[in-house]
Amino acid sequence: MKKIAQARETKMIEPKILYYGTPVILLNTLNEDDTVNISPISSSWALGDCIIIGLGVDGKALENLTRHPECVINVPDPSLWENVERLAHYTGKHPVPDYKINSGFRFEKDKYHASGLTPIPSTLVKPTRISECPLQIEAKVKDIRIPDYSPQFAIVETQSIQVHAHKDILIGENHINPNQWSPLIYNFRHYFSLGEHLGKTFRAEI
């Protein structure tokens, strides 16, 4: 008879956040004066060339995307966590919403200067890319939806139209080498890198 594993004890909890471990992205959007706003984002996922982003409805990023539906999704590696954190208490929204003031946010127009990161031109969209990020994805917004059950957030559907990658994380012409590439992970508001390599799925091409 097959032995049934004993169930691990659980407890019902009510966490304030559910950032259970997702890659950090730095979302570049276009301001009214054609300068670029950089927003650290911890809610995104990709399916094919569709990248879904979660944004606060009162933030500058959503305001910019509604007006100009182009962006660059920059994916930093763990070495950039301090640059990301330098942006964490800034907002490009002016005046700063009261709830953000109460949470310690303040206005900053020049996010590149604040973060110590470097702009480089994009090829197909107006917002610039971040040179230091190993992956830089130019994208166009296809849809923006605010769910009835969670109206403080917007679900933004984007389509990747051009991908740039640092050469040292590539293997062959079009593949990211998972042994060289590690995204910065946001895990319950703490920054992590990937752990040891455990194996690969049967569908892995490299």
Side-chain angles (χ1 to χ4, degrees), residues 11-206:
K11 178 183 177 181
M12 290 185 287
I13 64 173
E14 296 181 1
K16 291 178 63 176
I17 56 169
L18 282 175
Y19 296 132
Y20 47 76
T22 54
V24 173
I25 66 171
L26 294 174
L27 182 68
N28 284 16
T29 59
L30 201 68
N31 293 321
E32 299 88 342
D33 59 0
D34 285 351
T35 59
V36 169
N37 185 64
I38 306 175
S39 303
I41 302 297
S42 57
S43 299
S44 72
W45 60 275
L47 183 63
D49 63 356
C50 177
I51 300 177
I52 308 298
I53 300 168
L55 296 174
V57 296
D58 294 326
K60 188 64 176 178
L62 184 62
E63 177 187 312
N64 284 349
L65 290 177
T66 302
R67 186 190 64 259
H68 184 88
E70 294 182 341
C71 62
V72 179
I73 298 164
N74 302 279
V75 190
D77 65 15
S79 71
L80 298 174
W81 81 266
E82 290 178 300
N83 302 86
V84 173
E85 183 59 19
R86 287 175 199 163
L87 293 170
H89 57 272
Y90 290 129
T91 176
K93 192 83 168 180
H94 185 73
V96 181
D98 289 341
Y99 79 94
K100 285 199 169 187
I101 293 175
N102 296 335
S103 297
F105 285 84
R106 57 185 187 269
F107 173 72
E108 174 58 57
K109 178 67 176 290
D110 191 347
K111 298 284 191 71
Y112 273 113
H113 177 74
S115 64
L117 298 170
T118 310
I120 52 174
S122 296
T123 57
L124 299 176
V125 301
K126 284 189 176 182
T128 52
R129 297 176 283 137
I130 297 175
S131 176
E132 291 84 356
C133 289
L135 283 177
Q136 308 146 13
I137 305 167
E138 299 181 34
K140 289 187 177 290
V141 174
K142 308 304 287 185
D143 189 40
I144 297 175
R145 182 170 65 87
I146 299 174
D148 294 337
Y149 56 85
S150 191
Q152 69 271 34
F153 298 112
I155 299 169
V156 181
E157 297 181 19
T158 73
Q159 182 180 25
S160 166
I161 57 174
Q162 183 70 71
V163 179
H164 307 261
H166 286 182
K167 288 184 178 180
D168 58 4
I169 66 167
L170 295 177
I171 183 169
E173 289 296 315
N174 294 299
H175 287 96
I176 305 297
N177 185 345
N179 290 310
Q180 296 296 323
W181 162 237
S182 173
L184 176 62
I185 301 296
Y186 196 60
N187 182 7
F188 284 101
R189 290 183 174 164
H190 290 253
Y191 297 106
F192 285 84
S193 61
L194 293 182
E196 63 177 307
H197 181 215
L198 300 176
K200 64 180 182 180
T201 177
F202 76 98
R203 299 183 65 186
E205 296 181 7
I206 57 172

